[in-house]
Amino acid sequence: MHRHPSALRRLTVVGVALAAITAGAYAPAAMATPTIPPRAAAAGPFDPAPVRALLARLPDPVVAGALVRVAGDGRARPWTGTAGQVSPDAHFRIGSVTKIFTSTVVLQLAAEHRIAVDAPVRRYLPDLVPAAYSTVTVRQLLDHTSGLPAPAGIPGPADGPGWWRKGVSPQDVVRRAFAAAGSTGAGQPPKPGSVQQYNGVNTFVLGLLVEKVTGRTYGEELTRRLIRPLGLRGTSLPSPDDLSVPPPHARVYVGTDEVTEQSPWAWAEGGVISTAADLDRFLTALFRGRLLPPAQQRLAFTVPDVPSARTNTNCINHISCFSAGGLMRVTLDSGVTVWGKTGSLPGWTNGLFATRDLARRVAYSLNPTGTASERPYVMAVLDAAFKNAG
């Protein structure tokens, strides 16, 4: 029987990199009652053999190191495997997985009535968002239906040696995108809400929105609302001038260039550093309704019923796959549907996925060398990790 390719098989596993702390902890007044569906009766236990076999073949010319963590199935402890110079508790740059953190903070602020999700973003950021985008709402930023222009003038190979250490402010990322769109004469942007196009600029604007309505930095809000309450001791958002990664961590290369130290310019869109265990703790809390009240919890898993842009390589068959919670809904070739997010930065390709009932949860971090696409490795990990999961 012919099968359609899974969403991740066509997924462009590249973050926008290629295209701070306050006292107190946040606790929403009314948490969502978990509405986790029962696990499918046909689900079986996780068999680590295929993942172990994959990791045994590494390092190779395409992937220099890897970390895979599989939890659930009633296991007292997660299964963890590594390859290359990577430790099970390694820190890594999570790239666009950061989007789930940012969306959760925004939805918490919506629950506090400090942000209205269906209000125009320009109401809050009139000096940042041009009049041409005056009807774009916060919800449309969250679910990538805003029609905002893509990033322009961000650090990349064209900047020459050491480009991965070059930085750009969040404000400049957004302003350059709008300026470039205006200079190309591309005409009117698509009608907001009409099509889904994955775009990191949406999340940069969301981060700036958090700062505007709270009067604190995004990093401060991230820490007081998520990192500290959940005890995510291995998770941080570096300051703009901090190029380091806390130990232990892999030393990563793209070609012959070591890119371990790099600018965290991707910020609220992709600048967070974390560990596999911390990511699993965060996703578990989110899925169980510990972070959002019921209305916002439902929104976090709502994917808009609009077409996916033809230029969007993240979702198949021109059907939207991103929710207003920063999550990606993926149905694998096995038929198992998972929710999570991928994220990449030079030297790292990561992902965090789980079945909706949390019966099987997977976090991975690969260290691609840039010589060829690492997507087959990602798919091999996910197909093996979620085999028999539903």
Side-chain angles (χ1 to χ4, degrees), residues 19-225:
I21 298 175
T22 61
Y26 172 77
M31 292 296 92
T33 301
T35 55
I36 298 174
R39 190 176 182 186
F46 167 64
D47 177 7
V51 181
R52 188 180 288 123
L54 170 66
L55 295 175
R57 297 194 294 271
L58 301 177
D60 70 8
V62 180
V63 175
L67 163 62
V68 179
R69 185 183 192 274
V70 182
D73 294 328
R75 301 171 67 94
R77 294 183 179 180
W79 181 90
T80 303
T82 64
Q85 301 300 310
V86 183
S87 64
D89 56 347
H91 296 80
F92 49 90
R93 302 182 188 276
I94 70 173
S96 286
V97 178
T98 304
K99 287 183 174 69
I100 313 177
F101 287 82
T102 303
S103 296
T104 302
V105 171
V106 172
L107 290 175
Q108 287 183 345
L109 289 167
E112 297 167 11
H113 305 291
R114 302 171 74 180
I115 291 175
V117 295
D118 291 314
V121 182
R122 205 162 185 265
R123 173 191 297 180
Y124 305 100
L125 298 168
D127 297 330
L128 182 71
V129 179
Y133 301 89
S134 61
T135 64
V136 172
T137 66
V138 175
R139 183 195 298 263
Q140 290 159 354
L141 295 178
L142 288 164
D143 65 18
H144 295 282
T145 61
S146 68
L148 297 189
I154 60 177
D159 292 317
W163 64 267
W164 53 90
R165 297 189 182 95
K166 300 182 185 298
V168 57
S169 73
Q171 293 85 351
D172 282 346
V173 170
V174 177
R175 287 169 180 151
R176 290 178 185 181
F178 287 130
S183 66
T184 60
Q188 290 294 316
K191 181 181 178 182
S194 64
V195 64
Q196 187 173 75
Q197 175 60 67
Y198 182 70
N199 181 1
V201 170
N202 291 316
T203 316
F204 277 101
V205 177
L206 289 172
L208 294 169
L209 176 60
V210 168
E211 296 194 333
K212 180 69 173 183
V213 301
T214 65
R216 287 184 284 263
T217 70
Y218 168 76
E220 289 171 337
E221 289 298 295
L222 180 68
T223 299
R224 66 184 291 266
R225 291 173 176 273

Side-chain angles (χ1 to χ4, degrees), residues 79-378:
W79 181 90
T80 303
T82 64
Q85 301 300 310
V86 183
S87 64
D89 56 347
H91 296 80
F92 49 90
R93 302 182 188 276
I94 70 173
S96 286
V97 178
T98 304
K99 287 183 174 69
I100 313 177
F101 287 82
T102 303
S103 296
T104 302
V105 171
V106 172
L107 290 175
Q108 287 183 345
L109 289 167
E112 297 167 11
H113 305 291
R114 302 171 74 180
I115 291 175
V117 295
D118 291 314
V121 182
R122 205 162 185 265
R123 173 191 297 180
Y124 305 100
L125 298 168
D127 297 330
L128 182 71
V129 179
Y133 301 89
S134 61
T135 64
V136 172
T137 66
V138 175
R139 183 195 298 263
Q140 290 159 354
L141 295 178
L142 288 164
D143 65 18
H144 295 282
T145 61
S146 68
L148 297 189
I154 60 177
D159 292 317
W163 64 267
W164 53 90
R165 297 189 182 95
K166 300 182 185 298
V168 57
S169 73
Q171 293 85 351
D172 282 346
V173 170
V174 177
R175 287 169 180 151
R176 290 178 185 181
F178 287 130
S183 66
T184 60
Q188 290 294 316
K191 181 181 178 182
S194 64
V195 64
Q196 187 173 75
Q197 175 60 67
Y198 182 70
N199 181 1
V201 170
N202 291 316
T203 316
F204 277 101
V205 177
L206 289 172
L208 294 169
L209 176 60
V210 168
E211 296 194 333
K212 180 69 173 183
V213 301
T214 65
R216 287 184 284 263
T217 70
Y218 168 76
E220 289 171 337
E221 289 298 295
L222 180 68
T223 299
R224 66 184 291 266
R225 291 173 176 273
L226 300 178
I227 293 177
R228 185 181 293 137
L230 293 177
L232 306 181
R233 302 182 187 279
T235 301
S236 63
L237 179 70
S239 61
D241 59 350
D242 185 358
L243 311 184
S244 65
V245 180
H249 61 76
R251 294 179 62 183
V252 299
Y253 296 80
V254 174
T256 59
D257 295 319
E258 182 176 356
V259 298
T260 309
E261 291 195 349
Q262 56 184 268
S263 170
W265 68 270
W267 190 58
E269 191 277 336
V272 166
I273 292 171
S274 192
T275 66
D278 271 12
L279 291 180
D280 180 66
R281 181 188 290 262
F282 165 65
L283 198 70
T284 298
L286 178 62
F287 279 38
R288 286 181 174 165
R290 290 180 52 198
L291 302 178
L292 297 170
Q296 288 70 37
Q297 181 77 354
R298 288 191 295 271
L299 190 57
F301 288 89
T302 298
V303 175
D305 185 16
V306 298
S308 178
R310 292 189 174 273
T311 55
N312 191 2
T313 59
N314 298 281
C315 309
I316 68 167
N317 298 331
H318 311 301
I319 299 173
S320 296
C321 62
F322 292 101
S323 78
L327 297 164
M328 183 177 183
R329 182 182 62 195
V330 178
T331 299
L332 301 171
D333 283 347
S334 63
V336 176
T337 297
V338 296
W339 293 81
K341 188 69 184 70
T342 58
S344 296
L345 286 169
W348 279 280
T349 287
N350 322 292
L352 174 67
F353 287 93
T355 54
R356 183 63 185 91
D357 61 4
L358 291 171
R360 186 76 55 81
R361 312 186 302 276
V362 178
Y364 65 86
S365 179
L366 309 182
N367 302 129
T369 64
T371 58
S373 173
E374 70 274 15
R375 281 182 287 173
Y377 298 75
V378 171

